[in-house]
């Protein structure tokens, strides 16, 4: 349970005794306020409008008690229509948002692989700590039970998609993957880095993994195998190679790194890259100009 010290959203002139108001102010969350009330027009006096046009009506007291960032809008500014886009343009209405609001009424939240990303984003942006906690526990269970590629890919993609909102899921996912069995992690990395059109966020996640010695060696192995098979780097492999920390590569698996450099030389590609000692990184040479790569 989470103790809320937020006001209930009841207007100052509401005929409630001071004792009742104090009890409400320190109410334990979550609470079951009765899900049936969500469909009552008379009960729901605030309209929430999402950036995609989706709307829902809810009760001001329940909203203010559960969502600290809405309290001032409701109790002090007396807003009856709230633009959720003013809090974050990434919020999306629909089924997940409906489930989120229902959770505020029922005191129960049920994350699934379908609604989890939006639930986690809403809980983070709106600072609903008890839903945020449940989302993190759900994600931890996913990490502990994911063994096949599709489920592992889901945990990574979800963490990356939430990074602009919170680093929490990146921080949970990285050590979980780093401590996988070696061959299982290698299989995942090989499949992942062979995917077409990976985003910079996804590739940066892989680079975060390489802060661990086992992951460095495995990524080098994947890059080496790919280069040996095709004679060239894919765009994703090139990005990862350029952004690897050279000092870490030499420290944890210098042989594989030097083997990779030899393969680049044999393939006639070594002249495309230049190492700078000051940053311990490799840069790609583009028209004789060093093109620095984005850092994580």
């Amino acid at each position: 349970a989470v103790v809320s010290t937020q006001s209930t959203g009841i207007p100052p002139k509401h005929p409630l005794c001071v004792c009742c108001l104090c009890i409400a102010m320190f109410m334990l969350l979550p609470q079951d306020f009765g899900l049936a009330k969500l469909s009552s027009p008379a009960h729901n006096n605030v309209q929430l409008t999402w950036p995609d046009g989706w709307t829902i009506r809810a009760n001001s007291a329940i909203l203010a008690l559960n969502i600290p960032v809405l309290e001032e809008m409701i109790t002090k500014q007396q807003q009856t229509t709230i633009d959720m886009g003013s809090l974050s343009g990434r919020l999306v209405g629909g089924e997940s948002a409906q489930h989120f609001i229902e959770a505020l009424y029922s005191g129960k939240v049920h994350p699934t692989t379908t609604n989890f990303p939006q639930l986690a984003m809403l809980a983070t942006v709106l600072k609903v700590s008890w839903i945020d906690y449940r989302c993190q526990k759900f994600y931890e269970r996913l990490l502990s039970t994911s063994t096949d590629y599709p489920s592992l890919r889901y945990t990574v993609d979800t963490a990356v998609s939430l990074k602009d909102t919170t680093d929490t899921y990146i921080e949970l996912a990285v050590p979980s993957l780093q401590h996988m069995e070696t061959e299982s992690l290698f299989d995942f990395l090989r499949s992942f880095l062979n995917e077409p059109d990976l985003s910079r966020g996804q590739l940066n996640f892989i680079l975060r993994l390489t802060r661990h010695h086992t992951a460095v060696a495995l990524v080098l192995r994947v890059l080496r195998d790919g280069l040996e098979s095709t004679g060239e780097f894919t765009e994703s492999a090139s990005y990862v190679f350029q952004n690897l920390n050279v000092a870490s590569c030499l420290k944890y698996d210098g042989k594989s790194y030097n083997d990779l450099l030899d393969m680049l030389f044999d393939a006639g590609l070594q002249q495309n890259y230049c190492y700078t000692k000051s940053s311990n990184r490799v840069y790609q040479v583009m028209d004789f100009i060093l093109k620095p790569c984005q850092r994580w």
Side-chain angles (χ1 to χ4, degrees):
V2 179
V3 177
S4 172
T5 57
Q6 306 298 324
S7 81
T8 61
I10 301 170
K13 294 183 180 180
H14 193 281
L16 270 183
C17 69
V18 174
C19 291
C20 292
L21 184 58
C22 289
I23 292 172
M25 288 177 66
F26 292 94
M27 185 178 292
L28 290 174
L29 294 177
Q31 285 285 330
D32 185 356
F33 296 101
L35 186 56
K37 294 184 177 68
L38 185 57
S39 59
S40 170
H43 187 263
N44 298 318
N45 55 344
V46 173
Q47 177 169 293
L48 306 178
T49 302
W50 261 250
D52 59 357
W54 187 80
T55 63
I56 190 171
R57 296 189 67 83
N59 179 263
S60 59
I62 294 175
L63 290 174
L65 181 63
N66 279 278
I67 307 177
V69 297
L70 295 186
E71 182 194 9
E72 182 173 352
M73 296 180 181
I74 292 171
T75 60
K76 295 183 180 179
Q77 301 174 15
Q78 300 288 305
Q79 292 188 31
T80 57
T81 299
I82 296 178
D83 176 16
M84 302 300 284
S86 65
L87 303 173
S88 173
R90 302 184 70 221
L91 299 182
V92 178
E95 184 178 348
S96 297
Q98 176 79 28
H99 184 79
F100 180 85
I101 299 299
E102 289 177 354
L104 305 183
Y105 274 72
S106 67
K108 299 175 183 178
V109 63
H110 304 287
T112 66
T113 53
T114 301
N115 66 27
F116 165 71
Q118 276 298 313
L119 280 179
M121 184 181 297
L122 283 163
T124 301
V125 171
L126 301 180
K127 295 180 171 55
V128 182
S129 56
W130 70 270
I131 295 182
D132 187 38
Y133 174 79
R134 303 285 174 82
C135 286
Q136 289 182 36
K137 289 301 177 184
F138 172 78
Y139 187 72
E140 289 173 356
R141 287 195 298 273
L142 283 181
L143 288 171
S144 65
T145 58
S146 296
T147 55
D148 59 286
Y149 179 72
S151 58
L152 287 168
R153 175 70 190 266
Y154 174 86
T155 60
V156 171
D157 289 350
T158 302
V160 170
S161 71
L162 290 168
K163 188 181 184 303
D164 288 341
T165 304
T166 175
D167 284 332
T168 298
Y169 297 98
I170 293 285
E171 298 300 331
L172 289 171
V174 167
S176 178
L177 268 69
Q178 285 174 334
H179 292 93
M180 286 174 59
E181 292 184 1
T182 301
E183 287 307 309
S184 296
L185 180 55
F186 174 74
D187 289 342
F188 169 76
L189 290 170
R190 179 176 56 189
S191 298
F192 189 82
L193 288 174
N194 282 327
E195 293 275 8
D197 303 321
L198 292 174
S199 69
R200 287 291 183 260
Q202 291 168 315
L203 295 174
N204 285 335
F205 180 89
I206 299 301
L207 290 167
R208 278 288 296 271
L209 290 179
T210 62
R211 296 178 185 179
H212 188 273
H213 60 89
T214 300
V216 171
L218 294 180
V219 167
L220 288 173
R221 183 175 157 192
V222 171
L223 294 178
R224 184 192 62 201
D225 289 354
L227 187 59
E228 189 174 40
S229 173
T230 64
E232 61 182 4
F233 273 154
T234 64
E235 184 178 349
S236 295
S238 180
Y239 179 85
V240 170
F241 175 67
Q242 292 172 59
N243 285 276
L244 284 170
N245 184 290
V246 176
S248 294
C249 292
L250 294 175
K251 177 180 179 181
Y252 295 125
D253 196 352
K255 182 180 184 306
S256 292
Y257 189 75
N258 286 320
D259 287 347
L260 187 59
L261 292 179
D262 289 341
M263 291 176 66
L264 284 171
F265 181 81
D266 292 340
L269 298 174
Q270 194 176 42
Q271 70 273 17
N272 294 338
Y273 300 93
C274 178
Y275 167 65
T276 61
K277 187 175 182 180
S278 61
S279 63
N280 272 321
R281 292 171 60 237
V282 171
Y283 290 85
Q284 187 172 10
V285 179
M286 306 284 286
D287 297 328
F288 303 103
I289 299 175
L290 294 183
K291 180 185 178 184
C293 305
Q294 296 179 1
R295 299 204 67 174
W296 178 244

